[in-house]
Amino acid sequence: MRYYSADYVLPISSEPIKDGVVVTDEAGKIIKLGTKADFPSADIQYSKGILLPGFINTHCHLELSHMQGVCSTGTKLIPFISNVIKLREYEPAVIQEHIQIQDAKMWNSGIQAVGDISNTADTAANKEKSKIAYYTFVEMFDMMQPAMTEQTIANYRQVYADQSTGNGNRKSLVPHASYSVTPQLFEFINKANEDSATLSIHNTETAAENFMFRHGGGDFKKFFKSLGMSLDHFRPTSTNAINYVLKHLQPKKKNLFVHNTMTTTEDIKSAEKWSDAVYWATCPNANLYIENRLPNYQLFLDANAKMTLGTDSLMSNWQLDIWEEIKTIKKFQSYVPLKDLLQWATLNGAAALGYGRAMGSLEVGKQPGLVQVELEWAGEETSIFNSAARRVV
């Protein structure tokens, strides 16, 4: 057995343990929890600060790791999407090199599992050998063009087949966003996934998304025109975009709404009423990078919503590090309790991706990883801004 200690151990599912000790087997499975006094003769590995379970990154685009710094900050979403389409093609060797580098960096920063968006099979080989558990979301879109639906399905069958399900990995087919998926493609996705699947969808990242569904036209109509596509067949719903999505997703599955920058109280109420398996992923650094704004987290706290944390891609972030996402929220919306943020980053994320039995908290029988943050723990008053997270187990 191996013994790991810190000034405080934070199990997440229970109260912090002063002078806590985590006992694991050689594979990292937790055997016992206690304090130093419980193990007087043990050879204990001490880490200054706190120990907590490995982080869960519920929204990433690992396949875009080669595009760091390609896009300027503050461009807003639609110009950003245009850049993704135009600039993502690189030599395969370059893409693979950066995928491997960022996978290793995420592991070393304490990330235990990742919900990863894939439009290609570029990350599949790395996921087979990675120490991280990956839930691959094979992301589909037919750009609201019914004539493109069948070809879209045909194109993504092989991408899905190529994705890893070994090494503890999972996968499902998912819709990209409200403005890019027809009802027919939603229907295919619903039938293709098992009831135990998690579905991920980008949600209200920009005001233009709600404008499109409420009024038609707007910036998205111009964007589609720039791609040589028409939205003349689209009929506004006079409601926010999420209501279109709820009409076409299935409430019995886990549904992960991502970004939620413009999400309203009514949006949250509608989704929470629709299903008790709704999760909300926030990627604060990416929101600042692209739109230069954050969601109103108070709305989600008031609704007791199940929040998770993601990093998005290196095309829209400065690093793939969940602890940095926590620091950003505490910097700009410091009223969000640190206790809540730690739960978003661990327990909630594991539940959203279906890894809750193995990860997300320090409990006997789990193998969640172990992360150290070197700081003076004082509960909610703890200053975290000069700290960094590193993997211990």
Side-chain angles (χ1 to χ4, degrees):
M1 292 191 293
R2 297 179 179 180
Y3 299 80
Y4 302 93
S5 177
D7 301 315
Y8 280 88
V9 168
L10 277 58
I12 305 300
S13 56
S14 57
E15 292 301 310
I17 306 170
K18 182 176 174 57
D19 294 323
V21 176
V22 182
V23 185
T24 76
D25 64 15
E26 289 189 1
K29 182 182 289 187
I30 296 176
I31 306 300
K32 295 179 183 177
L33 292 171
T35 67
K36 287 182 178 180
D38 298 322
F39 310 101
S41 61
D43 180 15
I44 297 175
Q45 178 181 320
Y46 166 75
S47 297
K48 183 178 180 180
I50 62 173
L51 291 178
L52 65 159
F55 299 125
I56 313 297
N57 180 356
T58 58
H59 185 73
C60 185
H61 295 252
L62 185 61
E63 67 188 13
L64 301 181
S65 293
H66 58 289
M67 299 184 71
Q68 187 170 18
V70 169
C71 285
S72 300
T73 60
T75 62
K76 304 298 182 183
L77 181 65
I78 293 177
F80 176 82
I81 295 173
S82 298
N83 281 327
V84 174
I85 294 171
K86 290 185 294 185
L87 302 174
R88 68 180 293 160
E89 297 301 325
Y90 280 69
E91 290 294 322
V94 174
I95 294 173
Q96 290 302 314
E97 177 187 6
H98 285 275
I99 286 170
Q100 292 171 28
I101 289 170
Q102 294 306 320
D103 171 82
K105 284 187 175 181
M106 282 198 288
W107 173 258
N108 291 333
S109 71
I111 292 175
Q112 194 76 6
V114 175
D116 189 55
I117 301 293
S118 291
N119 301 116
T120 70
D122 289 346
T123 59
N126 184 83
K127 288 170 181 174
E128 279 290 336
K129 60 186 180 181
S130 175
K131 296 176 182 178
I132 294 172
Y134 280 93
Y135 196 127
T136 299
F137 297 120
V138 177
E139 182 183 72
M140 305 179 72
F141 50 88
D142 56 8
M143 302 306 290
M144 279 287 192
Q145 308 296 306
M148 291 176 58
T149 305
E150 287 190 15
Q151 189 59 53
T152 297
I153 293 169
N155 290 345
Y156 276 94
R157 286 188 188 278
Q158 191 59 50
V159 176
Y160 180 78
D162 288 342
Q163 300 302 324
S164 167
T165 54
N167 202 27
N169 296 328
R170 304 181 67 200
K171 64 181 179 180
S172 57
L173 293 164
V174 302
H176 168 252
S178 63
Y179 53 82
S180 60
V181 179
T182 60
Q184 294 86 351
L185 186 54
F186 269 116
E187 182 179 3
F188 170 79
I189 290 169
N190 287 334
K191 291 179 179 178
N193 290 308
E194 298 178 352
D195 289 346
S196 60
T198 298
L199 272 68
S200 167
I201 185 167
H202 294 79
N203 181 58
T204 54
E205 237 177 307
T206 180
E209 187 173 345
N210 282 335
F211 187 92
M212 172 181 163
F213 280 87
R214 282 195 167 275
H215 309 292
D219 290 342
F220 269 112
K221 186 172 184 177
K222 297 174 186 175
F223 170 65
F224 277 71
K225 186 176 180 180
S226 73
L227 297 176
M229 300 175 185
S230 172
L231 277 183
D232 291 345
H233 61 282
F234 174 76
R235 296 292 176 265
T237 62
S238 300
T239 61
N240 280 352
I242 197 171
N243 292 287
Y244 168 76
V245 173
L246 296 179
K247 182 178 178 181
H248 294 291
L249 287 178
Q250 294 179 319
K252 60 186 175 182
K253 293 184 173 71
K254 291 188 177 78
N255 290 280
L256 179 65
F257 295 95
V258 180
H259 291 301
N260 312 299
T261 319
M262 306 302 298
T263 298
T264 67
T265 296
E266 290 305 313
D267 291 342
I268 298 170
K269 286 181 179 178
S270 295
E272 296 287 335
K273 182 179 179 180
W274 172 75
S275 171
D276 61 0
V278 167
Y279 295 84
W280 307 87
T282 182
C283 308
N285 282 317
N287 292 159
L288 293 172
Y289 195 109
I290 298 171
E291 289 272 335
N292 200 27
R293 66 181 300 164
L294 293 174
N296 182 349
Y297 295 118
Q298 189 62 56
L299 304 183
F300 297 92
L301 293 173
D302 290 345
N304 197 29
K306 294 185 284 290
M307 297 290 290
T308 72
L309 290 176
T311 60
D312 214 324
S313 74
L314 276 184
M315 193 175 179
S316 59
N317 204 333
W318 299 270
Q319 67 280 307
L320 306 180
D321 187 326
I322 289 295
W323 186 250
E324 292 300 318
E325 303 298 324
I326 291 173
K327 288 162 68 174
T328 293
I329 294 177
K330 289 302 287 185
K331 180 178 181 179
F332 292 101
Q333 295 194 28
S334 60
Y335 61 83
V336 182
L338 182 57
K339 181 179 180 181
D340 288 45
L341 292 174
L342 296 177
Q343 182 170 328
W344 298 3
T346 56
L347 197 62
N348 287 7
L353 298 184
Y355 290 129
R357 292 184 178 180
M359 307 175 192
S361 60
L362 302 181
E363 298 181 60
V364 172
K366 288 191 174 185
Q367 194 170 335
L370 202 56
V371 178
Q372 177 213 11
V373 182
E374 187 173 328
L375 48 72
E376 297 293 331
W377 179 257
E380 188 52 39
E381 296 76 32
T382 299
S383 176
I384 67 173
F385 297 112
N386 294 322
S387 62
R390 72 170 185 91
R391 178 172 295 278
V392 175
V393 176

